[in-house]
Structure formats: structure tokens, C-alpha cells
């Protein structure tokens, strides 16, 4: 297979791929340049549109693809009924005041005007009216000013602007334009009918400034009338945004960009600007043509971007990558399997951000306002802190969480950015066989691969430590370190003689203390001159049968694997075909291990513990940590031990993570409840958890400060006879005593989610999820609809 050095340069040649791996995939055919449309999702946009879609940086767990922030929360305002009543009252009050003014019922109404005008314009006395034409004109202007102040005051008093924003502007165009046009027409009618004092005051003011002779020209009069008409319509045009409406009708509405636009010749995302900036213009042009003609999918884009980022510091890699792009286009730097996509996707993925959408936040008071309705997604930055999901059978852990995460990691593995190891029961929902590079079916004779009990190591002490954790890590009264020592005293001598570790039958005989097996091993060690290993064997022989000897327990546990159904498995000789977890160190592999949970439940739990122990050991020993490695356990019942909890805590620092699902937290030893919940950064409680489990999650998620309002009703006691009579009449009519409300507002500290809320208020198909990134940024627990 041709990888253009993308993976070989990482020190992982083809010999590191686990063998046998079935028939080797054929070399990728040369690209056919007939249009083959590919999409990021079956019903999603094309790759070109997918690349251009914005992905704003948001809080952890937000589905960033095309995310639009929710508008700011509006404070609780006045009800519509109160607004309408206020408008009606202010309008009636204004009409009453204006009627009283025009009919002279308001005393001293002309006093302010007389203070600023000559006295010979007015008749004597407080109620004297204008005596000259100048006084009449001044009164006309004065009334127009007062009318404007009255309208302004009534508008503020009745909150006209709020009702306009809520019921007119809030409905958008074209209703806004039509409503303001109707308002403008009504205003014009009132102005030219002299119901609104505007025309005469304007004419008087123009005459006082320019002289009365200006009205001798009919043209000037027409211009003034036109200006008055335009002045009346101008505020309505501003409120109704007539210019924008007209531009939209003509098809010339321009969207206002959120950020300053780049230069006209700036390359767009589908034009590969990073390659153009590095001088690889030919490769960028070739990839741009691939995208626009539909010969690339999102996996190809993510894979080539990753290959470019990995090779930036190595000129020889960039040269090989450039040559491969010019030769094969989007098929360059292929995954070792030769695959470019999965046969079927069940959820939405965004490979540019590495996210998989699992659901959306509900409109629930527990969720922050800004997060309600937004998508919820998981990514390596979150899975790197590990995720623990708890829920009863049928809650949707496998179908709505495990399967989407495994599918996302498989796609990222095809892009060269991750490796995934999924462990579950045979016939589970982890994905079809063609979605994985290696499928290990333990207990199935048709399985191509076997499983290496020793994790691919050649160090007896390391192999013994991991194997002991898998065999007796859940035995509380047995120290796993003593068990590891006992195993090392047998594994080391056996390997020194045979060149490999013992298989299950041989290891069981040695742990049982079979005399013939021990004597044969002792003779072989003496003949081979392995004195140090002989001392190890003699030490094991002396300890056999002593107080606290772990040998019998180890023998009983290894006997679970020494069954006829597992006879072809766990071999270690030359004819062995094991798969080792060390293959995940550098290769972006997709691996699935099927366990015989129905027929051999205890053996399956033992193997799951062993896989978890091997995974934590292998990832911690990696030297190249650029590849994200994730372990997915579809059922971690009786799997977690004290040592694996410590290993899970170390995963975030080695670019690895784990996803564990449990039916209940009680499936973990009670002494490890706090340690496990503290070791993982992401917690997920599905619908149907018990109050005992809910209590543990409530303690993990802590408390927050909230504002509470307490309303107390106090009886009103009247002292006056008339008031008491009114209260008695009211009680007789309503049947209730007269009371008054006393409102107390205070801040208290409450649990984010209580145990009872988690047990009884999480609807089916929902879960409460809290996430933390490897950098330490976290999001509060959110109620999520699992509709990814």
C-alpha cells in the first residue's frame, strides 16, 4: 500500500500492522476524474459548502459547525395587556389635555408666552388673548411646541416605543414597512387637515426668518409644502427601514459581515490557503479542483490537512506529499487500509473540529440560557479526560453514545489523527466489520485474530503486572503486587527456556504447582545455565501453599480462560496469531474486540479488565504521543480496579482517553466510587438512574448560587369602622380574607442537580452531561436530548 511516507516516517513500518489481517488491501486505483459527488453526510452539504461553513470557538461541548449564538436573554417586561392599556390611557389623557387647552379650561396657559413676548401684543389681564397679528402668530407657534411636548410625554408615559418594537418591528419586513407606511399616510392626513398644528407654525417661522414677501412665489410655497410632507414621512421611513426594504426588493441587499472582509484575492478555505502560503501552489490548485468537482470527501480533507501539519517541520515529507497530491489528488496519504470513508454513518460528524454531534440542549431551567437549543458534541479534547456514562439497560448508552463516539474515532483514524479500540459483547452495536481494520472475536473459531494476554511486551515483570491486574485486580483481599510477583516468578523462567511466555494451559499448570511441569522447567533452566531464573522458580516453589499465597486464586482465574471454547485462542508459540495493543502506539488503527458475554460472562469481565490494564500501560509508555488513542468499553461492569483508576487519571497527559459505561455505579467497588468519579473529566447520567447513583453525581457536580423569591401573605387588620366594613364585604363576596404579599429575595446555594431530579425528572431519551477539556475548561451539567 502506498502511504507516501505519511505513516512510515513515524517509525511504524508495515511490519507493525497486526498480522494476519486478512487479505491485504489492493493498492488504491489511480483517481478517476469523472465526477463522483461525496458529501460529509448523506443529507449534508457538499464539501465546498462544508468547508466554508463557520465554526466559531465556543464553550466545551458545543456543536461548532454552523453554530449561531442565541440572542441575549430579554428581562421579563411588561405584559402585552398592560402595554395596550397604558397606550390607551396615555392617548385618552393626551386628547383630554389638548381639548382642555384648546377650549381655554387650563388657567394661566398664556403666562409663559407673555413673559417672553412684547406686552403690546396682548390684551391686559391674565386671560387676555392676542391683540395683534404678531401675538396670534406667536400663539400658533406656542401651541405647536406644546402639542409636540404633549405627544412626547404621552409616548413616554404609555411606553409606545416598547409596543412598537414588540408588535411591529418584531414581526420584521415587509410588515414593518407596510405598518409605518400606513402610519405615515395617517400622519399626512392629520397634518394637512390641521388636526395636528404643523403647517401654519412652519409657514409663520419661515416668514419671520425670510420675510413675508417669500410667499409671493408659488414655486417657493410648493417647495415648502413638499419639505413639510417629506419631514412628516422621514421618521416613519427611518422606523420602517424603507431603504433596506427597497434594496431587498431590488435584490441588492448586502449582508453585513461579522468580521472585516479580507482582500478581494484572499483564498477561500476550499482553495487550501495554507498550502498556497507555503509556496505549494500546484498542490493547492490540484486539491481545489478535486473539491470543486466532488472527487474529495470530508475525510480526504481532514487527512490531507493532518498530513500537511505533521510534515511542516520535515521538508522531505512535504516533498513526498506534494508529489503524491499531484499524482493521485485527494487519494494521497491514504490510511493503511486504503479506505477513504465508512460505508455508513449514523450521526453527524465534523472532521475539521473532530466533533460528533450526540444531541442538543433542552429548553430547561437547569440549562444556562445561552446553551438552550444548541447542539452538543464530543471530541478528542473532551474524551482525553475520559467519560463515564451511567444508565440502566435500554437507556441508550450503546446506540446513542458509544456507537457515535466509535464511529467518530473511526473516521478520525481514517484521517490519520486517532486510533480506537472498542470492546463489547458479541453482536453488539459498535459498528459493522468493514468499519474496523482488526476484529477480534474471542471464542469464535472463525476469528482471524487472537488476543495477546501479555500486551506484546517481552519484559516478564511488565507482563506479570498487567496480567495480575486483569486476573485478580477485583479481589479486594488480595494484593495485586504480590500476585504480579508470583506471576513474574513463573513467566521469566518460562520465557528464558522457550523464548515466549506460556499459553493458558501451561500457565495454569505452573500456577497449580503441577510437579511434572515445575520439574521440567527446573531441569531446562539448569541445562541452559539460567541461574537467576532458577532462583526465581525456587522462590515460587517455596512460597507455594503459604499464608496469603496468590497462586490458587490466580490458578482459579486463569482456569476461566482454559475452556474448550478458548482452545484456539491466547496461544504464544510460533503458530500464534495474536493481536497486541502495542499496535495502537503509532498506527491509526480501528480495532474491535467481541467478548462472549452470554456464554462466558466471568471470562469476559476478566478479559475486559485485562484490556483496560494493558491500555493504560501501553499508552503511558508511548514515546510518540501525537496520535490520540481512545478505549471504548461498552460495559465496564466489575472492570475498574484501584490501579486502572490511577491509569485513567494519567491518560489525559499522554493524549489518550477512555469511555466507560456502567448500568450503575455500584458495579464498581464501593471504595472506588469517589476515586473513579474524580478521575474522569466527563460524566453522563442517563434517564432512569437510581437516587443512590444520582446522589453521587450530585456530589460531583456540586452546588451553585441561585436567587430565590419567597412570597408570604399577611392578613390586613383595619382600625377604622368603614375600612373594616369594606374588608368584611370583600370577604363576603370573594370568600377570602384581605391580605398583602411580602416578597423576600435572597441568594442561596443549591445543588445543580439533586438526586431526586436525576432519578425522576430526566425524560426518556435524555441524559445529563458535564464535560471538561484537557486544558481544564469545563461546562456545567446540561440536560441533553440524545438526538444526534
Amino acid at each position: 500500500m502506498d502511504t507516501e511516507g505519511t505513516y512510515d516516517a513515524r517509525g511504524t513500518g508495515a511490519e507493525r500492522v497486526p498480522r494476519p489481517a486478512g487479505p491485504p488491501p489492493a493498492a488504491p486505483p489511480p483517481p478517476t476524474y469523472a465526477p463522483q459527488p461525496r458529501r460529509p453526510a448523506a443529507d449534508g452539504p457538499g464539501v465546498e459548502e462544508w468547508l466554508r461553513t463557520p465554526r466559531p470557538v465556543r464553550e466545551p461541548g458545543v456543536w461548532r459547525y454552523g453554530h449561531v449564538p442565541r440572542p441575549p436573554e430579554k428581562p421579563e417586561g411588561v405584559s402585552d395587556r398592560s402595554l395596550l392599556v397604558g397606550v390607551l390611557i396615555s392617548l385618552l389623557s393626551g386628547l383630554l389635555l389638548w381639548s382642555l387647552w384648546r377650549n381655554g379650561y387650563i388657567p394661566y396657559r398664556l403666562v409663559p408666552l407673555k413673559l417672553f413676548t412684547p406686552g403690546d401684543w396682548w390684551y391686559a389681564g391674565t386671560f387676555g388673548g392676542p391683540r395683534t397679528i404678531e401675538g396670534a402668530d406667536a400663539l400658533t407657534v406656542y401651541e405647536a411646541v406644546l402639542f409636540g411636548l404633549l405627544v412626547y410625554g404621552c409616548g413616554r408615559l404609555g411606553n409606545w416605543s416598547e409596543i412598537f418594537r414588540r408588535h411591529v418591528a418584531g414581526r420584521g419586513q415587509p410588515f414593518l414597512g407596510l405598518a409605518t407606511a400606513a402610519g405615515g399616510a395617517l400622519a399626512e392626513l392629520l397634518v394637512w387637515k390641521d388636526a395636528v398644528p404643523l403647517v401654519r407654525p412652519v409657514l409663520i417661522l419661515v416668514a419671520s426668518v425670510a420675510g413675508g414677501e417669500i410667499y409671493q412665489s408659488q414655486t417657493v410655497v410648493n417647495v415648502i409644502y413638499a419639505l413639510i410632507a417629506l419631514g412628516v414621512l422621514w421618521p416613519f421611513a427611518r422606523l420602517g427601514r424603507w431603504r433596506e426594504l427597497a434594496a431587498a426588493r431590488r435584490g441588492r441587499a448586502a449582508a453585513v459581515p461579522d468580521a472585516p472582509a479580507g482582500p478581494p484575492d484572499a483564498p477561500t478555505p476550499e482553495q487550501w490557503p495554507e498550502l498556497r502560503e507555503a509556496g505549494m501552489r500546484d498542490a493547492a490548485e490540484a486539491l481545489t479542483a478535486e473539491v470543486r468537482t466532488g472527487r474529495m470527501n470530508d475525510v480526504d480533507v481532514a487527512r490531507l490537512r493532518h498530513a500537511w501539519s505533521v510534515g511542516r517541520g520535515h521538508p522531505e515529507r512535504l516533498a513526498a506529499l506534494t508529489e503524491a497530491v499531484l499524482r493521485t489528488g485527494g487519494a494521497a496519504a491514504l490510511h493503511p487500509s486504503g479506505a477513504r470513508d465508512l460505508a455508513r454513518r449514523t450521526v453527524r460528524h465534523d472532521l475539521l473540529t473532530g466533533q460528533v454531534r450526540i444531541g442538543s440542549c433542552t429548553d430547561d431551567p437547569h440549562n444556562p440560557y445561552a446553551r438552550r437549543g444548541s447542539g452538543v458534541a464530543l471530541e478528542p479534547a473532551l474524551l482525553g479526560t475520559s467519560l463515564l456514562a451511567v444508565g440502566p439497560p435500554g437507556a441508550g448508552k450503546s446506540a446513542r453514545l458509544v456507537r457515535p463516539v466509535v464511529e467518530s474515532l473511526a473516521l478520525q483514524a481514517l484521517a490519520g489523527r486517532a486510533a480506537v479500540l472498542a470492546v463489547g459483547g458479541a453482536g453488539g452495536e459498535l459498528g459493522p466489520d468493514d468499519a474496523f481494520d482488526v476484529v477480534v472475536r474471542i471464542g469464535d473459531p472463525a476469528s482471524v485474530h487472537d488476543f495477546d494476554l501479555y500486551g506484546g511486551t517481552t519484559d516478564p515483570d511488565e507482563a506479570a503486572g498487567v496480567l495480575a491486574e486483569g486476573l485478580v485486580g477485583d479481589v479486594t483481599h488480595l494484593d495485586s503486587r504480590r500476585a504480579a510477583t508470583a506471576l513474574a516468578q513463573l513467566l521469566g523462567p518460562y520465557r528464558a527456556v522457550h523464548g515466549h511466555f506460556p499459553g493458558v494451559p501451561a500457565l495454569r499448570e505452573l500456577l497449580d504447582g503441577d510437579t511434572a511441569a515445575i520439574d521440567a522447567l527446573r531441569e531446562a533452566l539448569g541445562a541452559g545455565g539460567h541461574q537467576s531464573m532458577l532462583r526465581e522458580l525456587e522462590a515460587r516453589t517455596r512460597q507455594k501453599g503459604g499464608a496469603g499465597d496468590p497462586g490458587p486464586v490466580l490458578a482459579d482465574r486463569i482456569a476461566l480462560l482454559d475452556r474448550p471454547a478458548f482452545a484456539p485462542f491466547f496461544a504464544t508459540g510460533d503458530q500464534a496469531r495474536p493481536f497486541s495493543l502495542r499496535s495502537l502506539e503509532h498506527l491509526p488503527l480501528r480495532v474491535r474486540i467481541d467478548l462472549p458475554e452470554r456464554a462466558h460472562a466471568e471470562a469476559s469481565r476478566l478479559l475486559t479488565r485485562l484490556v483496560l490494564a494493558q491500555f493504560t500501560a501501553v499508552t503511558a509508555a508511548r514515546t510518540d504521543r501525537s496520535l490520540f488513542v481512545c478505549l471504548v468499553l461498552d460495559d465496564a461492569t466489575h472492570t475498574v480496579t484501584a490501579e486502572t483508576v490511577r491509569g485513567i487519571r494519567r491518560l489525559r497527559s499522554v493524549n489518550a482517553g477512555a469511555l466507560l459505561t456502567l448500568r450503575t455505579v455500584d458495579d464498581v467497588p464501593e471504595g472506588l466510587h469517589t476515586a473513579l468519579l474524580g478521575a474522569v473529566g466527563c460524566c453522563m447520567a442517563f434517564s432512569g438512574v437510581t437516587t443512590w447513583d444520582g446522589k453521587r453525581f450530585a456530589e460531583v457536580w456540586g452546588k451553585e448560587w441561585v436567587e430565590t423569591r419567597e412570597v408570604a401573605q399577611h392578613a390586613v387588620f383595619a382600625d377604622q369602622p368603614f375600612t373594616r366594613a369594606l374588608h368584611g364585604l370583600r370577604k363576603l363576596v370573594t370568600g377570602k380574607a384581605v391580605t398583602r404579599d411580602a416578597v423576600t429575595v435572597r441568594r442561596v446555594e443549591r445543588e445543580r442537580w439533586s438526586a431526586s431530579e436525576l432519578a425522576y425528572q430526566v425524560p426518556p431519551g435524555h441524559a445529563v452531561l458535564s464535560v471538561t477539556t484537557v486544558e481544564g475548561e469545563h461546562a456545567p451539567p446540561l440536560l441533553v436530548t440524545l438526538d444526534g
Side-chain angles (χ1 to χ4, degrees), residues 425-566:
E429 300 180 358
L430 299 181
D433 292 352
D434 56 8
F436 297 92
D437 303 309
V438 176
V439 178
V440 181
R441 297 184 178 90
I442 297 179
D444 185 355
S447 177
V448 177
H449 292 277
D450 193 358
F451 180 71
D452 189 352
L453 293 178
Y454 304 100
T457 184
T458 58
D459 183 359
D461 293 324
E462 182 180 353
V466 175
L467 185 58
E469 193 64 33
L471 293 177
V472 296
D474 61 329
V475 180
T476 57
H477 65 273
L478 181 61
D479 187 357
S480 60
R481 290 174 295 182
R482 295 193 60 184
T485 301
L487 284 172
Q489 291 171 344
L490 297 175
L491 297 182
Y494 191 95
R495 179 175 176 78
V497 172
H498 299 280
H500 56 80
F501 292 123
V504 170
L507 181 59
R508 181 183 181 184
E509 291 177 352
L510 294 175
L511 289 173
D512 280 333
D514 182 79
T515 304
I518 295 293
D519 292 343
L521 183 58
R522 183 184 294 112
E523 293 177 2
L525 289 173
H530 303 290
Q531 296 302 319
S532 61
M533 292 300 172
L534 184 60
R535 289 194 299 270
E536 287 284 290
L537 182 62
E538 294 298 338
R540 172 86 283 272
T541 305
R542 290 192 302 270
Q543 296 172 2
K544 181 180 180 300
D549 179 23
V553 180
L554 289 170
D556 291 341
R557 287 300 178 88
I558 201 67
L560 295 173
L561 303 181
D562 191 17
R563 306 295 300 163
F566 303 139

Side-chain angles (χ1 to χ4, degrees), residues 62-393:
V62 176
W63 173 251
R64 293 170 51 189
Y65 177 79
H67 175 73
V68 178
R70 193 176 186 184
E73 184 177 9
K74 295 181 180 179
E76 294 184 3
V78 184
S79 63
D80 292 343
R81 179 178 178 181
S82 299
L83 279 177
L84 294 175
V85 171
V87 168
L88 182 60
I89 292 176
S90 63
L91 182 60
L92 294 177
S93 300
L95 292 175
L96 177 61
L97 286 176
W98 185 244
S99 177
L100 294 175
W101 172 273
R102 294 297 300 267
N103 291 284
Y105 289 105
I106 297 179
Y108 310 107
R109 63 190 186 96
L110 299 181
V111 171
L113 180 61
K114 292 180 179 181
L115 292 177
F116 295 97
T117 55
D120 56 355
W121 288 6
W122 311 95
Y123 288 107
T126 304
F127 297 94
R131 186 168 57 183
T132 63
I133 297 178
E134 291 81 0
D137 292 342
L139 179 59
T140 301
V141 176
Y142 177 59
E143 289 182 344
V145 173
L146 290 180
F147 180 83
L149 294 176
L150 180 62
V151 172
Y152 176 77
C154 290
R156 292 297 301 271
L157 180 65
N159 206 1
W160 294 2
S161 59
E162 176 63 23
I163 199 169
F164 175 81
R165 284 194 297 267
R166 186 178 300 183
H167 295 284
V168 180
R171 299 181 64 175
Q173 300 287 9
F175 179 83
L176 176 60
L178 295 176
T180 51
L186 178 61
E188 291 283 358
L189 179 62
L190 295 177
V191 166
W192 297 109
K193 290 293 185 178
D194 279 338
V196 174
L198 181 61
V199 178
R200 289 187 59 197
V202 171
L203 295 176
I204 291 172
L205 290 175
V206 172
S208 64
V209 174
E213 297 81 4
I214 192 174
Y215 294 121
Q216 295 179 0
S217 173
Q218 186 62 37
T219 302
V220 173
V221 174
N222 294 337
V223 170
I224 294 175
Y225 284 166
L227 292 176
I228 293 174
L230 293 176
V232 172
L233 290 178
W234 179 78
F236 293 95
R238 289 290 302 273
L239 291 174
R241 298 194 290 270
W242 293 358
R243 179 181 300 177
E244 297 178 12
L245 180 60
R249 290 296 181 182
R250 292 194 301 266
R252 295 198 300 265
V256 180
D258 295 334
D265 56 347
T268 52
E270 75 276 6
Q271 294 178 334
W272 301 81
E274 62 274 15
L275 298 184
R276 297 177 187 273
E277 293 176 2
M280 303 167 63
R281 183 170 295 274
D282 293 340
E285 292 292 346
L287 293 178
T288 301
E290 292 276 296
V291 170
R292 291 180 173 175
T293 55
R295 291 194 293 267
M296 288 183 66
N297 60 7
D298 53 345
V299 178
D300 297 330
V301 174
R303 185 185 67 253
L304 291 175
R305 285 195 171 191
H306 176 71
W308 157 252
S309 63
V310 169
R312 276 187 297 185
H314 305 275
E316 67 281 0
R317 295 189 190 180
L318 288 184
L321 180 61
T322 303
E323 180 184 356
V325 168
L326 295 177
R327 176 165 45 89
T328 60
L334 280 179
H335 184 266
S337 66
R340 297 174 63 177
D341 200 353
L342 298 180
R344 179 174 177 265
R345 303 187 187 185
T346 59
V347 290
R348 296 181 62 187
H349 302 272
D350 182 25
L351 290 178
L352 285 189
T353 59
Q355 291 186 317
V356 52
R357 192 180 189 277
I358 62 172
S360 58
C361 290
T362 63
D363 191 2
D364 187 86
H366 287 91
N367 294 339
Y369 173 82
R371 292 298 304 272
R372 298 174 190 173
S374 63
V376 178
L378 295 175
E379 57 184 305
L382 303 179
L383 296 174
T385 64
S386 299
L387 190 153
L388 176 65
V390 179

